[in-house]
Amino acid sequence: MTTMLLLPVLVPAVAGAHALLAVRARRAAAVLLVAGALASAAAVALAVAGADGGVVAVQGAFDVALELDPLARTFLVGLAAAGVIAAAGIARAIAAGRVAAAAAAALLLALGALQGAILAADAETLLLCWGGALAPVAALLACGGAGAARPALATLTRWAAADLALMTGFGLLAHAGGHGELARLHPGVSPIATVSFALVLAGAATRLGAHPLHGWMSDAAERAPAPAAFVIAAGKLASAYLLLRLQPAFAGPAAPALMAVLGVLSLGPGVLFAVAQASRPRRPAHLAAATSGAMLLALAWGPPALASALAVAFALAAALFSWSSPTAVIAPSLPSRAGLASALRRAERSLEPGLLARGAVDAAAVGGLAIDRLVNALYDRVATGLGRTASGLLRRAHTGRHSTYLAWSLFGVAAVVLYLVGGF
Amino acid sequence: MTNLPLLLATSVTVPLAGALLLPLAGRISGALRSALALVFVLTALGCAVALLPAVLGGSTATVSVHGVALLHADRLAVFMALVSTLLGAVIVVYSFGYLSGLPNRDEYDLMVVLFLGAMMALVFARHLLVLYAAWELTAVACWRLIGFFRKDGCVLRADKAFLITALGAVLMLLGFIGVYVGQGTFDLGRLQGVRLPTWAAALILAGLFSKSATLPLHSWLPDAGVAPSPVTALLHAAVLVKIGVYVYARLFGATFVADPMVGEIVPWIAATSALVAGMAALLEHDLKRIIAYSTVSQIGFIFLGLAVGTPEATQGALLFVLMHAIAKGGLFLCAGIIEHGTHTKDIRKMGGLARAMPVTAGCFALCACSVMGLPPFGGYFSKHLVISGALAAGRLPVALVFLAGSGLTLLYLARVFDKVFLGPPGVAVQGRAVHEGTRLMVGCVAVLAALALGSGLFSRYPSAVAGAVARDLSRRPATLAEAGRVGP
């Protein structure tokens, strides 16, 4: 039954809505979170068992279409499992007071949206579900503890920017192909196909946390370790699935080459930065970036089954970090004063595309403000020159005792003139 | 059976005539005046709600005086009337808390209700001169409201808004006169399918752009942030700037057949406006100016959708009229609460307000998400429809520019949220007991934030209404040959 496909989206969403009622009750929120995640996993099991390969359409502002192909089964089950593992870890943190109770609702809502993204049959549904996870993910990270709100906002901003890249990529594909159905996308070999894939890859790699688009991940893991573990795991699965699903449509060497470059960039620095970290919670984030690199290399050069297996295994491992307390030792720490370590940390910062892009954004902002000021200066020149009389009259009308009546009489005169001209 | 012409006439005359009674009521009691103001606005809202099922069912209503059709209710007009009065009602309620204890309340209520009455007259206008008169009436009300505090700076900026929009209105009037000279009528019903001369189209567009604060006639809007926050919400986010958009849809979508060049140029003007305003918002420090620049930027999306003209893009544009009004109205009202609490609009002096104002912070975040166009908020669906409509119409370059504009929206709103609500407390917050606004103010903001989210989650319903309006607009004669009538 195709309607079963709605369950993996609806069940966590409804459970999340219920968990909203428990934002002031820690223990109740923890229980609701675990129950919601288990119910979501059951919903996934029902969908996998009951789906018959058809497409289910839901009417909204535009039609939403869901389908379950064999590849999606693996990732949906993986995401549900990661959700249960992370939910249990985060529930523990909620009960202990390390994470705010609202995290329960946020996690379940994010889980529903990301499961929807895996089930999406067309680009519109994918973008809706993919983007629908943004606000819950940011809320989940913001619940992670003191000082977590800023990394949460940074994550939201970067993921949303990545979604714009993704949307642009799909827009180009739809423009070239005339439709947005994922199963029928065959852009072939063309410059527009390469640019589209690069944009889709940038969008997916941001959520994957691949270097150099990983900045959100390490900051979030530092301030909100338990929620970040779920976000890293879920982002990895959803992104890997998207790339695996789209990659075969892009013929030619460009797509594997782009993924391989990103994979190498991510794997090497990811390991180095993880070793160099003085901050323990940042270390698993960099390890996750390194595993993303390995996965991208598998996507580029290996069989799809290997990439799928790596994605699911790495995601489950990442989800396990939600069980670690912020003070738990994950790996032996290098002395923070080590020259290599500090050099690597500086390199990590400078690799951030956010920093690299800041110059361009600042330049654009200065340009925009300059145009605006120019228009204002022009107005001032006109107002103080030609428009002095009108301006003075207006000011007197404004500040005079009978200004309201003057305004009314102005309108009255205008109305009479209009009446005469119009000849009603 | 419902008397549609009576509802139509009531929706216009009650706020217009009622506004004049408010100063008299204010002499008896401030509470009576405020209550009456709300009653007049709710009456207009009620009439618009009552008209909706009928117009969706295909009915229309016309009010004529001495055989001249003055007012006409169709789907587009009722849709705009609903948006205006819904936001107007919330903002009037918010004003009870925001303006308590301030002088000039009599005139404030008069001008707000008068403005909404003029807005109703404008959206229901069937006659170009009624449209022009209502247009000017909104300018007068706007002028008085922006200069509400009567300080030199406020008065100067109010004058600026008046001069720029009045200049635009004069140009628009010249365009109307050009139409009259060629066709011998101001009746929009009789002008349907008429070819609009290019020079008249240019004059009318100049007027529309001045009112909708589109580059290069936008500079009055950020300056108008000196007005009280309910005024900025009402005039500059929710209603006033939508007038230009509405008249564009009415004249260029539902009535005239313009030169195809108009459809080519308008998206690029809108795109330039969206980009420049978005860039300027990135460096601005005044909270209300940033939100005003955001309005300049977002209006571009609406113009894009209408100018592209396909049913999908038009539906998105109309949907965004509603979604933007809700979300931007909410942002301005949040800004009002913040300004009320911190006594500054400079975001560099704020910070850490999420702790002192958690509800306002949450509402600001929800409304900002909608303006950014994040799913499942209302703004997402409308922006998506506009951009996919533009792509489907083969307007790839301009669609890409608007996607870049969306990126800027994301950046400047995230920056505002970070500077205002996160981080350590700023100088305007330190040593001061900053707290939420009154329950009434916070309640109004919460309603708008809930609507910003709810209108996305249940987007099917507003989308259906916008779709019905869009279908009406797309049925217009598409080419000059189909029109079969040639103007001067």
Short mmCIF file of all heavy atoms in Angstrom, two decimals, chain B residues 271-332:
data_model
loop_
_atom_site.label_atom_id
_atom_site.label_comp_id
_atom_site.label_asym_id
_atom_site.label_seq_id
_atom_site.Cartn_x
_atom_site.Cartn_y
_atom_site.Cartn_z
N ALA B 271 14.81 42.81 -9.86
CA ALA B 271 15.99 42.05 -9.45
C ALA B 271 17.08 42.99 -8.93
O ALA B 271 17.72 42.72 -7.90
CB ALA B 271 16.52 41.25 -10.63
N THR B 272 17.29 44.11 -9.63
CA THR B 272 18.30 45.08 -9.18
C THR B 272 17.92 45.60 -7.81
O THR B 272 18.76 45.72 -6.90
CB THR B 272 18.37 46.25 -10.18
OG1 THR B 272 18.45 45.72 -11.49
CG2 THR B 272 19.56 47.13 -9.92
N SER B 273 16.66 45.91 -7.66
CA SER B 273 16.17 46.43 -6.38
C SER B 273 16.39 45.41 -5.26
O SER B 273 16.86 45.75 -4.17
CB SER B 273 14.68 46.74 -6.53
OG SER B 273 14.21 47.44 -5.46
N ALA B 274 16.06 44.16 -5.57
CA ALA B 274 16.20 43.10 -4.55
C ALA B 274 17.66 42.94 -4.14
O ALA B 274 17.98 42.81 -2.95
CB ALA B 274 15.66 41.78 -5.09
N LEU B 275 18.56 42.98 -5.12
CA LEU B 275 19.98 42.78 -4.81
C LEU B 275 20.57 43.96 -4.05
O LEU B 275 21.23 43.78 -3.02
CB LEU B 275 20.77 42.58 -6.10
CG LEU B 275 20.92 41.16 -6.62
CD1 LEU B 275 21.93 41.11 -7.75
CD2 LEU B 275 21.35 40.20 -5.52
N VAL B 276 20.31 45.18 -4.55
CA VAL B 276 20.92 46.36 -3.92
C VAL B 276 20.40 46.51 -2.49
O VAL B 276 21.17 46.75 -1.55
CB VAL B 276 20.62 47.63 -4.76
CG1 VAL B 276 21.00 48.88 -4.00
CG2 VAL B 276 21.38 47.57 -6.07
N ALA B 277 19.10 46.34 -2.31
CA ALA B 277 18.54 46.49 -0.96
C ALA B 277 19.07 45.39 -0.04
O ALA B 277 19.38 45.65 1.14
CB ALA B 277 17.02 46.45 -1.02
N GLY B 278 19.18 44.18 -0.56
CA GLY B 278 19.71 43.09 0.25
C GLY B 278 21.14 43.35 0.67
O GLY B 278 21.53 43.10 1.81
N MET B 279 21.93 43.89 -0.26
CA MET B 279 23.33 44.21 0.07
C MET B 279 23.40 45.32 1.11
O MET B 279 24.19 45.25 2.06
CB MET B 279 24.05 44.65 -1.19
CG MET B 279 24.29 43.55 -2.20
SD MET B 279 24.87 44.30 -3.73
CE MET B 279 25.04 42.88 -4.76
N ALA B 280 22.56 46.35 0.93
CA ALA B 280 22.58 47.46 1.88
C ALA B 280 22.19 46.98 3.28
O ALA B 280 22.74 47.44 4.29
CB ALA B 280 21.65 48.57 1.41
N ALA B 281 21.25 46.04 3.33
CA ALA B 281 20.80 45.53 4.64
C ALA B 281 21.91 44.82 5.39
O ALA B 281 21.90 44.76 6.62
CB ALA B 281 19.62 44.59 4.44
N LEU B 282 22.88 44.31 4.65
CA LEU B 282 23.98 43.58 5.30
C LEU B 282 24.85 44.48 6.17
O LEU B 282 25.49 44.02 7.11
CB LEU B 282 24.86 42.92 4.24
CG LEU B 282 24.36 41.61 3.64
CD1 LEU B 282 25.25 41.20 2.49
CD2 LEU B 282 24.32 40.52 4.69
N LEU B 283 24.92 45.76 5.80
CA LEU B 283 25.82 46.66 6.53
C LEU B 283 25.09 47.65 7.44
O LEU B 283 25.72 48.37 8.19
CB LEU B 283 26.68 47.47 5.55
CG LEU B 283 27.90 46.77 4.98
CD1 LEU B 283 28.73 47.73 4.17
CD2 LEU B 283 28.76 46.15 6.07
N GLU B 284 23.78 47.67 7.35
CA GLU B 284 23.01 48.64 8.14
C GLU B 284 22.99 48.22 9.61
O GLU B 284 23.06 47.04 9.92
CB GLU B 284 21.58 48.69 7.55
CG GLU B 284 20.70 49.76 8.11
CD GLU B 284 21.27 51.16 7.96
OE1 GLU B 284 21.42 51.64 6.83
OE2 GLU B 284 21.58 51.75 9.01
N HIS B 285 22.90 49.22 10.51
CA HIS B 285 22.88 48.91 11.94
C HIS B 285 21.54 49.22 12.60
O HIS B 285 21.30 48.84 13.73
CB HIS B 285 23.98 49.68 12.67
CG HIS B 285 25.34 49.35 12.17
ND1 HIS B 285 25.86 48.08 12.23
CD2 HIS B 285 26.28 50.11 11.57
CE1 HIS B 285 27.08 48.08 11.70
NE2 HIS B 285 27.35 49.29 11.28
N ASP B 286 20.71 49.97 11.88
CA ASP B 286 19.41 50.34 12.45
C ASP B 286 18.41 49.20 12.17
O ASP B 286 18.18 48.84 11.02
CB ASP B 286 18.94 51.65 11.79
CG ASP B 286 17.64 52.15 12.37
OD1 ASP B 286 16.69 51.34 12.47
OD2 ASP B 286 17.56 53.34 12.72
N LEU B 287 17.86 48.65 13.25
CA LEU B 287 17.01 47.46 13.12
C LEU B 287 15.86 47.69 12.14
O LEU B 287 15.60 46.85 11.25
CB LEU B 287 16.46 47.10 14.51
CG LEU B 287 15.50 45.91 14.58
CD1 LEU B 287 16.13 44.65 14.05
CD2 LEU B 287 15.04 45.69 16.02
N LYS B 288 15.18 48.83 12.29
CA LYS B 288 14.02 49.04 11.43
C LYS B 288 14.43 49.34 9.98
O LYS B 288 13.70 49.00 9.05
CB LYS B 288 13.13 50.14 12.00
CG LYS B 288 12.33 49.61 13.19
CD LYS B 288 11.75 50.70 14.03
CE LYS B 288 10.47 51.24 13.46
NZ LYS B 288 9.84 52.21 14.39
N ARG B 289 15.57 49.97 9.82
CA ARG B 289 16.04 50.21 8.45
C ARG B 289 16.38 48.88 7.76
O ARG B 289 16.14 48.69 6.58
CB ARG B 289 17.28 51.12 8.46
CG ARG B 289 16.96 52.59 8.65
CD ARG B 289 18.23 53.43 8.57
NE ARG B 289 18.71 53.56 7.21
CZ ARG B 289 18.34 54.51 6.36
NH1 ARG B 289 17.45 55.41 6.74
NH2 ARG B 289 18.83 54.56 5.16
N ILE B 290 16.96 47.96 8.53
CA ILE B 290 17.29 46.65 7.94
C ILE B 290 16.02 45.96 7.47
O ILE B 290 15.95 45.44 6.36
CB ILE B 290 18.03 45.76 8.97
CG1 ILE B 290 19.38 46.36 9.32
CG2 ILE B 290 18.20 44.34 8.43
CD1 ILE B 290 20.09 45.66 10.46
N ILE B 291 14.99 46.01 8.32
CA ILE B 291 13.74 45.34 7.94
C ILE B 291 13.10 46.06 6.75
O ILE B 291 12.49 45.44 5.87
CB ILE B 291 12.78 45.26 9.15
CG1 ILE B 291 13.46 44.57 10.33
CG2 ILE B 291 11.53 44.47 8.77
CD1 ILE B 291 12.65 44.56 11.60
N ALA B 292 13.29 47.39 6.72
CA ALA B 292 12.74 48.15 5.59
C ALA B 292 13.48 47.80 4.29
O ALA B 292 12.85 47.61 3.24
CB ALA B 292 12.85 49.64 5.87
N TYR B 293 14.80 47.69 4.36
CA TYR B 293 15.55 47.26 3.17
C TYR B 293 15.08 45.88 2.73
O TYR B 293 14.99 45.57 1.55
CB TYR B 293 17.05 47.21 3.46
CG TYR B 293 17.75 48.53 3.38
CD1 TYR B 293 18.45 49.05 4.45
CD2 TYR B 293 17.72 49.29 2.21
CE1 TYR B 293 19.10 50.27 4.39
CE2 TYR B 293 18.35 50.51 2.13
CZ TYR B 293 19.05 51.00 3.23
OH TYR B 293 19.68 52.20 3.15
N SER B 294 14.79 45.05 3.72
CA SER B 294 14.31 43.72 3.41
C SER B 294 12.99 43.80 2.64
O SER B 294 12.76 43.04 1.69
CB SER B 294 14.13 42.93 4.72
OG SER B 294 13.47 41.73 4.47
N THR B 295 12.16 44.74 3.03
CA THR B 295 10.88 44.92 2.31
C THR B 295 11.15 45.30 0.86
O THR B 295 10.55 44.75 -0.06
CB THR B 295 10.03 45.99 3.00
OG1 THR B 295 9.73 45.54 4.32
CG2 THR B 295 8.74 46.24 2.25
N VAL B 296 12.06 46.27 0.66
CA VAL B 296 12.41 46.69 -0.70
C VAL B 296 12.85 45.46 -1.51
O VAL B 296 12.46 45.26 -2.66
CB VAL B 296 13.53 47.74 -0.68
CG1 VAL B 296 13.97 48.11 -2.09
CG2 VAL B 296 13.10 48.99 0.08
N SER B 297 13.64 44.62 -0.85
CA SER B 297 14.18 43.45 -1.52
C SER B 297 13.07 42.43 -1.85
O SER B 297 13.01 41.90 -2.96
CB SER B 297 15.24 42.82 -0.60
OG SER B 297 15.79 41.70 -1.18
N GLN B 298 12.20 42.19 -0.88
CA GLN B 298 11.19 41.14 -1.07
C GLN B 298 10.09 41.55 -2.05
O GLN B 298 9.50 40.70 -2.72
CB GLN B 298 10.55 40.74 0.27
CG GLN B 298 11.54 40.29 1.32
CD GLN B 298 12.42 39.15 0.86
OE1 GLN B 298 11.94 38.16 0.32
NE2 GLN B 298 13.72 39.29 1.03
N ILE B 299 9.83 42.85 -2.11
CA ILE B 299 8.82 43.32 -3.07
C ILE B 299 9.23 42.91 -4.49
O ILE B 299 8.39 42.65 -5.36
CB ILE B 299 8.66 44.86 -2.96
CG1 ILE B 299 7.96 45.23 -1.67
CG2 ILE B 299 7.89 45.43 -4.16
CD1 ILE B 299 6.52 44.85 -1.58
N GLY B 300 10.55 42.83 -4.70
CA GLY B 300 11.06 42.41 -6.00
C GLY B 300 10.53 41.03 -6.40
O GLY B 300 10.22 40.79 -7.57
N PHE B 301 10.42 40.13 -5.43
CA PHE B 301 9.91 38.78 -5.73
C PHE B 301 8.48 38.86 -6.25
O PHE B 301 8.10 38.13 -7.17
CB PHE B 301 9.94 37.91 -4.47
CG PHE B 301 11.28 37.31 -4.19
CD1 PHE B 301 12.21 37.98 -3.41
CD2 PHE B 301 11.62 36.08 -4.70
CE1 PHE B 301 13.45 37.44 -3.16
CE2 PHE B 301 12.86 35.53 -4.45
CZ PHE B 301 13.78 36.21 -3.68
N ILE B 302 7.71 39.74 -5.64
CA ILE B 302 6.30 39.85 -6.05
C ILE B 302 6.22 40.41 -7.47
O ILE B 302 5.48 39.89 -8.31
CB ILE B 302 5.52 40.73 -5.05
CG1 ILE B 302 5.64 40.16 -3.64
CG2 ILE B 302 4.06 40.82 -5.46
CD1 ILE B 302 5.05 41.02 -2.55
N PHE B 303 7.01 41.45 -7.72
CA PHE B 303 7.02 42.02 -9.07
C PHE B 303 7.50 40.98 -10.08
O PHE B 303 6.97 40.90 -11.20
CB PHE B 303 7.92 43.26 -9.13
CG PHE B 303 7.19 44.54 -8.83
CD1 PHE B 303 7.60 45.37 -7.81
CD2 PHE B 303 6.08 44.91 -9.57
CE1 PHE B 303 6.91 46.55 -7.52
CE2 PHE B 303 5.39 46.09 -9.30
CZ PHE B 303 5.81 46.91 -8.27
N LEU B 304 8.48 40.19 -9.70
CA LEU B 304 8.98 39.16 -10.62
C LEU B 304 7.85 38.21 -11.01
O LEU B 304 7.63 37.94 -12.19
CB LEU B 304 10.13 38.38 -9.98
CG LEU B 304 10.58 37.15 -10.77
CD1 LEU B 304 11.29 37.55 -12.04
CD2 LEU B 304 11.50 36.25 -9.94
N GLY B 305 7.15 37.71 -10.00
CA GLY B 305 6.08 36.75 -10.27
C GLY B 305 5.01 37.33 -11.16
O GLY B 305 4.55 36.69 -12.11
N LEU B 306 4.62 38.58 -10.86
CA LEU B 306 3.55 39.20 -11.65
C LEU B 306 4.03 39.50 -13.07
O LEU B 306 3.27 39.37 -14.04
CB LEU B 306 3.07 40.48 -10.97
CG LEU B 306 2.34 40.26 -9.63
CD1 LEU B 306 2.04 41.60 -8.98
CD2 LEU B 306 1.05 39.48 -9.82
N ALA B 307 5.29 39.93 -13.18
CA ALA B 307 5.79 40.31 -14.50
C ALA B 307 6.00 39.08 -15.39
O ALA B 307 5.77 39.14 -16.60
CB ALA B 307 7.09 41.08 -14.36
N VAL B 308 6.41 37.97 -14.78
CA VAL B 308 6.57 36.75 -15.58
C VAL B 308 5.21 36.33 -16.14
O VAL B 308 5.09 35.94 -17.30
CB VAL B 308 7.19 35.63 -14.72
CG1 VAL B 308 7.03 34.27 -15.38
CG2 VAL B 308 8.66 35.92 -14.49
N GLY B 309 4.18 36.42 -15.28
CA GLY B 309 2.82 36.32 -15.78
C GLY B 309 2.27 34.92 -15.99
O GLY B 309 1.11 34.78 -16.34
N THR B 310 3.06 33.87 -15.78
CA THR B 310 2.49 32.53 -15.91
C THR B 310 1.61 32.27 -14.69
O THR B 310 1.80 32.90 -13.64
CB THR B 310 3.59 31.45 -15.96
OG1 THR B 310 4.34 31.54 -14.74
CG2 THR B 310 4.53 31.68 -17.13
N PRO B 311 0.64 31.36 -14.81
CA PRO B 311 -0.25 31.11 -13.66
C PRO B 311 0.54 30.73 -12.40
O PRO B 311 0.20 31.20 -11.30
CB PRO B 311 -1.12 29.95 -14.13
CG PRO B 311 -1.13 30.04 -15.60
CD PRO B 311 0.21 30.60 -16.00
N GLU B 312 1.57 29.92 -12.55
CA GLU B 312 2.34 29.47 -11.39
C GLU B 312 3.06 30.65 -10.72
O GLU B 312 3.00 30.82 -9.50
CB GLU B 312 3.37 28.42 -11.85
CG GLU B 312 4.09 27.74 -10.70
CD GLU B 312 5.14 26.76 -11.19
OE1 GLU B 312 5.49 26.80 -12.39
OE2 GLU B 312 5.62 25.97 -10.37
N ALA B 313 3.74 31.46 -11.55
CA ALA B 313 4.48 32.60 -10.99
C ALA B 313 3.54 33.62 -10.38
O ALA B 313 3.81 34.18 -9.30
CB ALA B 313 5.34 33.24 -12.08
N THR B 314 2.40 33.86 -11.05
CA THR B 314 1.44 34.83 -10.52
C THR B 314 0.86 34.33 -9.20
O THR B 314 0.69 35.10 -8.25
CB THR B 314 0.29 35.05 -11.54
OG1 THR B 314 0.88 35.37 -12.80
CG2 THR B 314 -0.61 36.18 -11.11
N GLN B 315 0.56 33.03 -9.15
CA GLN B 315 0.06 32.45 -7.90
C GLN B 315 1.07 32.64 -6.78
O GLN B 315 0.72 33.03 -5.66
CB GLN B 315 -0.23 30.95 -8.10
CG GLN B 315 -0.80 30.27 -6.87
CD GLN B 315 -0.91 28.76 -7.05
OE1 GLN B 315 -0.45 28.21 -8.06
NE2 GLN B 315 -1.52 28.11 -6.10
N GLY B 316 2.35 32.38 -7.10
CA GLY B 316 3.40 32.56 -6.10
C GLY B 316 3.48 34.01 -5.65
O GLY B 316 3.63 34.28 -4.45
N ALA B 317 3.38 34.94 -6.60
CA ALA B 317 3.48 36.36 -6.24
C ALA B 317 2.34 36.77 -5.32
O ALA B 317 2.55 37.46 -4.32
CB ALA B 317 3.46 37.21 -7.52
N LEU B 318 1.13 36.32 -5.65
CA LEU B 318 -0.02 36.69 -4.82
C LEU B 318 0.07 36.04 -3.44
O LEU B 318 -0.25 36.66 -2.43
CB LEU B 318 -1.32 36.28 -5.52
CG LEU B 318 -1.61 37.06 -6.80
CD1 LEU B 318 -2.74 36.42 -7.58
CD2 LEU B 318 -1.96 38.51 -6.48
N LEU B 319 0.54 34.80 -3.45
CA LEU B 319 0.71 34.11 -2.17
C LEU B 319 1.75 34.84 -1.32
O LEU B 319 1.61 34.98 -0.10
CB LEU B 319 1.16 32.68 -2.44
CG LEU B 319 0.99 31.64 -1.34
CD1 LEU B 319 -0.45 31.58 -0.87
CD2 LEU B 319 1.42 30.27 -1.84
N PHE B 320 2.78 35.35 -1.99
CA PHE B 320 3.83 36.05 -1.25
C PHE B 320 3.35 37.39 -0.72
O PHE B 320 3.87 37.87 0.29
CB PHE B 320 5.07 36.24 -2.14
CG PHE B 320 6.32 36.55 -1.36
CD1 PHE B 320 6.66 35.82 -0.23
CD2 PHE B 320 7.17 37.57 -1.73
CE1 PHE B 320 7.80 36.11 0.50
CE2 PHE B 320 8.31 37.87 -1.01
CZ PHE B 320 8.62 37.13 0.11
N VAL B 321 2.36 37.99 -1.40
CA VAL B 321 1.76 39.22 -0.85
C VAL B 321 1.24 38.92 0.56
O VAL B 321 1.48 39.67 1.50
CB VAL B 321 0.62 39.72 -1.77
CG1 VAL B 321 -0.20 40.80 -1.07
CG2 VAL B 321 1.18 40.26 -3.07
N LEU B 322 0.55 37.80 0.69
CA LEU B 322 -0.01 37.43 1.99
C LEU B 322 1.10 37.03 2.97
O LEU B 322 1.15 37.52 4.10
CB LEU B 322 -0.99 36.26 1.80
CG LEU B 322 -1.50 35.61 3.08
CD1 LEU B 322 -2.39 36.55 3.86
CD2 LEU B 322 -2.27 34.32 2.78
N MET B 323 1.98 36.13 2.51
CA MET B 323 3.00 35.59 3.41
C MET B 323 3.95 36.69 3.88
O MET B 323 4.35 36.73 5.05
CB MET B 323 3.81 34.49 2.71
CG MET B 323 2.99 33.35 2.17
SD MET B 323 1.98 32.60 3.46
CE MET B 323 1.24 31.24 2.58
N HIS B 324 4.33 37.57 2.96
CA HIS B 324 5.24 38.65 3.33
C HIS B 324 4.57 39.62 4.28
O HIS B 324 5.18 40.09 5.24
CB HIS B 324 5.73 39.38 2.07
CG HIS B 324 6.66 40.50 2.36
ND1 HIS B 324 6.26 41.81 2.36
CD2 HIS B 324 7.97 40.52 2.71
CE1 HIS B 324 7.29 42.59 2.67
NE2 HIS B 324 8.33 41.82 2.88
N ALA B 325 3.29 39.91 4.03
CA ALA B 325 2.58 40.84 4.91
C ALA B 325 2.56 40.28 6.33
O ALA B 325 2.83 41.02 7.30
CB ALA B 325 1.17 41.06 4.40
N ILE B 326 2.28 39.00 6.47
CA ILE B 326 2.21 38.40 7.81
C ILE B 326 3.58 38.42 8.47
O ILE B 326 3.74 38.90 9.60
CB ILE B 326 1.69 36.94 7.71
CG1 ILE B 326 0.22 36.94 7.29
CG2 ILE B 326 1.88 36.21 9.02
CD1 ILE B 326 -0.32 35.56 6.95
N ALA B 327 4.58 37.90 7.77
CA ALA B 327 5.90 37.73 8.38
C ALA B 327 6.57 39.08 8.60
O ALA B 327 7.17 39.32 9.67
CB ALA B 327 6.76 36.84 7.50
N LYS B 328 6.50 39.96 7.62
CA LYS B 328 7.18 41.25 7.79
C LYS B 328 6.45 42.11 8.81
O LYS B 328 7.08 42.85 9.57
CB LYS B 328 7.29 41.95 6.43
CG LYS B 328 8.24 43.11 6.36
CD LYS B 328 9.63 42.78 6.85
CE LYS B 328 10.42 41.89 5.90
NZ LYS B 328 10.72 42.48 4.62
N GLY B 329 5.13 42.02 8.81
CA GLY B 329 4.38 42.72 9.86
C GLY B 329 4.85 42.23 11.23
O GLY B 329 5.09 43.03 12.15
N GLY B 330 5.01 40.93 11.37
CA GLY B 330 5.50 40.37 12.63
C GLY B 330 6.89 40.88 12.99
O GLY B 330 7.17 41.21 14.14
N LEU B 331 7.77 40.95 11.99
CA LEU B 331 9.14 41.43 12.26
C LEU B 331 9.12 42.88 12.74
O LEU B 331 9.83 43.25 13.69
CB LEU B 331 10.00 41.31 11.00
CG LEU B 331 10.45 39.92 10.60
CD1 LEU B 331 11.31 39.97 9.35
CD2 LEU B 331 11.20 39.22 11.71
N PHE B 332 8.33 43.71 12.09
CA PHE B 332 8.27 45.12 12.50
C PHE B 332 7.69 45.25 13.91
O PHE B 332 8.14 46.08 14.71
CB PHE B 332 7.43 45.94 11.50
CG PHE B 332 8.27 46.57 10.43
CD1 PHE B 332 8.11 46.22 9.10
CD2 PHE B 332 9.20 47.55 10.73
CE1 PHE B 332 8.87 46.81 8.10
CE2 PHE B 332 9.97 48.14 9.73
CZ PHE B 332 9.80 47.77 8.42
#
